[in-house]
Amino acid sequence: KAGVTQTPRYLIKTRGQQVTLSCSPISGHRSVSWYQQTPGQGLQFLFEYFSETQRNKGNFPGRFSGRQFSNSRSEMNVSTLELGDSALYLCASSLVTGGSRATDTQYFGPGTRLTVL
Amino acid sequence: DAKTTQPTSMDCAEGRAANLPCNHSTISGNEYVYWYRQIHSQGPQYIIHGLKNNETNEMASLIITEDRKSSTLILPHATLRDTAVYYCIVRVEGNTPLVFGKGTRLSVIA
């Protein structure tokens, strides 16, 4: 079974621009979570989508947004980019059937490395 | 904030068992212990998780103390490919967000 895929893998943008990152979950997984990793703050939770609805949200400004499509694929968008948004953006998917604790395990993709100049 | 405490770094000789400790003294009854690892600049890799019983899979074993206030991840025969940052995470049941601390940087030495 294919793992979580993220595109693009690398991205360079300039301040003030916006960016859209894409995540395709493991087949059959219905929840997608996004995380940001920086050297200073470590791995931090951005938001989680399930059935096209945002279920959980981390402590990030409104410039960070996301959405999920009916096929469970997800995108996240960052508007008005700042230098501090340079990071590795990670997507994780989970099955979520509610029947077993094992179904909530999150599996991560390889990440998108965003550099803001 | 992360609810776990882990040593900043550890070394292990190749072929020996790597024992990575984690303290989670404030863990609640409905919280699981999860372990992930991250090899340089890759996405975190799920290793194992448990509630109160010891768990084993093809990658590792998880030993949880009877009072659940600490646990140990055991990699039975460490290889150079096991060099990574290992994260111990306490997580409420359900699809709740993972809260990562700084983890333990494990270096496996030939």
Side-chain angles (χ1 to χ4, degrees), chain A residues 6 19 21 32-38 42-49 54-67 74-78 84-85 87-92 106 108 112 114, chain B residues 96-100:
Chain A
Q6 293 187 245
V19 66
L21 312 180
V32 173
S33 297
W34 289 89
Y35 294 80
Q36 180 199 63
Q37 185 173 28
T38 60
L43 266 155
Q44 293 185 290
F45 171 73
L46 279 157
F47 30 65
E48 184 237 350
Y49 285 87
Q54 187 181 89
R55 275 203 310 193
N56 283 302
K57 188 177 187 307
N59 188 26
F60 278 82
R63 299 186 297 107
F64 292 83
S65 63
R67 60 177 176 168
S74 177
E75 289 180 347
M76 69 162 282
N77 184 277
V78 187
D85 297 332
L88 181 66
Y89 289 88
L90 293 154
C91 164
Q106 294 187 7
F108 285 81
T112 294
L114 171 65
Chain B
T96 51
L98 296 166
V99 179
F100 289 84

Side-chain angles (χ1 to χ4, degrees), chain B residues 50-80:
Chain B
L51 183 61
K52 49 186 174 183
N53 296 324
N54 298 337
E55 302 285 347
T56 296
N57 62 21
E58 65 279 2
M59 287 183 68
S61 294
L62 174 60
I63 309 298
I64 302 175
T65 58
E66 194 167 338
D67 63 7
R68 302 185 68 236
K69 293 187 177 184
S70 66
S71 60
T72 301
L73 178 74
I74 301 172
L75 307 178
H77 305 287
T79 71
L80 298 178

Side-chain angles (χ1 to χ4, degrees), chain B:
Chain B
D1 288 349
K3 297 177 65 174
T4 61
T5 304
Q6 299 178 252
T8 302
S9 63
M10 294 180 63
D11 291 338
C12 178
E14 189 178 21
R16 304 296 295 267
N19 296 280
L20 292 92
C22 179
N23 183 290
H24 32 79
S25 58
T26 62
I27 193 169
S28 301
N30 64 344
E31 289 181 317
Y32 291 77
V33 179
Y34 275 78
W35 284 84
Y36 282 80
R37 73 181 182 183
Q38 187 174 27
I39 297 169
H40 182 63
S41 292
Q42 298 180 20
Q45 178 187 22
Y46 165 76
I47 302 173
I48 198 167
H49 74 283
L51 183 61
K52 49 186 174 183
N53 296 324
N54 298 337
E55 302 285 347
T56 296
N57 62 21
E58 65 279 2
M59 287 183 68
S61 294
L62 174 60
I63 309 298
I64 302 175
T65 58
E66 194 167 338
D67 63 7
R68 302 185 68 236
K69 293 187 177 184
S70 66
S71 60
T72 301
L73 178 74
I74 301 172
L75 307 178
H77 305 287
T79 71
L80 298 178
R81 287 193 300 261
D82 293 321
T83 292
V85 177
Y86 287 76
Y87 297 97
C88 170
I89 299 167
V90 166
R91 183 188 186 209
V92 174
E93 61 187 344
N95 199 38
T96 51
L98 296 166
V99 179
F100 289 84
K102 296 189 184 304
T104 296
R105 183 172 299 277
L106 175 69
S107 298
V108 180
I109 302 165

